[in-house]
Amino acid sequence: MAKVAVQTINSASLLVNNVDQWVDVGAGIIVYVVFGKEATVDKLPILVETLLAQETQWDDTANKKVSVLESGGDVLIVPQASMIGKLKAKKPQYHTLIDKAKGAELYLALVEEFKKQMEANNNRNGKEGKAGKVEAGVYGNRQGLKLDSPGPNTHIFDF
């Protein structure tokens, strides 16, 4: 199982080394992700395809919401282990969280799947050089996040 939260953004910056190295994205989505113990790599293509197809971006020209693929928006992927916790008394418990090594492996595979699908879409639609980019945090690192959002537009999904 993977749990993801998708948030629409105007821009975002993620501090990836907890000192001074930032990655930046423009308008698009942030994907916060956590993997449960039973998560497997074979589920990642459908997870990515589903998230990229969600109509989350407002298109002023069309006067409707479109997908991040249609808008040419960016994707920022952030590992977020705390989303899988259960509250027991006053403390969260993380018994269903995947072990760190396997989680890091799945996270890297997820990032690569996002890049692969974004590139394939861009090539299919002739958007080379103009399409959105994919940036990612570092699995297991504590990271700072700055974002500008068009409003509280966050969706949570279990895969």
Side-chain angles (χ1 to χ4, degrees):
M1 189 267 299
K3 181 181 285 276
V4 297
V6 179
Q7 184 174 16
T8 303
I9 56 168
N10 295 325
S11 64
S13 297
L14 184 68
L15 180 63
V16 294
N17 69 350
N18 217 17
V19 178
D20 60 0
Q21 183 183 352
W22 293 84
V23 293
D24 302 304
V25 295
I29 58 174
I30 296 179
V31 177
Y32 304 96
V33 62
V34 63
F35 297 105
K37 288 181 179 177
E38 64 282 355
T40 58
V41 72
D42 62 311
K43 304 288 187 208
L44 297 181
I46 191 69
L47 183 156
V48 172
E49 181 180 339
T50 301
L51 295 180
L52 290 176
Q54 297 302 304
E55 295 177 346
T56 58
Q57 310 299 297
W58 185 256
D59 183 331
D60 287 327
T61 306
N63 200 29
K64 67 176 186 173
K65 283 190 172 186
V66 297
S67 72
V68 72
L69 291 177
E70 293 170 295
S71 72
D74 294 341
V75 177
L76 176 61
I77 308 164
V78 180
Q80 189 68 40
S82 63
M83 290 192 320
I84 205 166
K86 302 263 186 209
L87 193 57
K88 184 174 182 180
K90 295 180 182 179
K91 294 185 179 186
Q93 305 288 313
Y94 301 99
H95 300 300
T96 59
L97 183 63
I98 198 166
D99 73 79
K100 190 172 181 178
K102 181 68 173 164
E105 180 183 313
L106 284 173
Y107 181 75
L108 290 175
L110 177 72
V111 171
E112 289 307 310
E113 187 63 32
F114 265 102
K115 289 178 179 179
K116 178 179 142 187
Q117 288 194 31
M118 292 274 289
E119 183 179 330
N121 179 74
N122 297 342
N123 291 340
R124 256 192 323 272
N125 295 312
K127 294 182 183 176
E128 296 88 347
K130 297 181 274 181
K133 64 180 176 177
V134 176
E135 294 287 354
V138 178
Y139 192 86
N141 278 12
R142 193 174 175 155
Q143 298 160 94
L145 175 65
K146 298 181 200 174
L147 66 95
D148 176 37
S149 173
N153 187 8
T154 304
H155 305 279
I156 298 172
F157 305 104
D158 291 322
F159 289 90

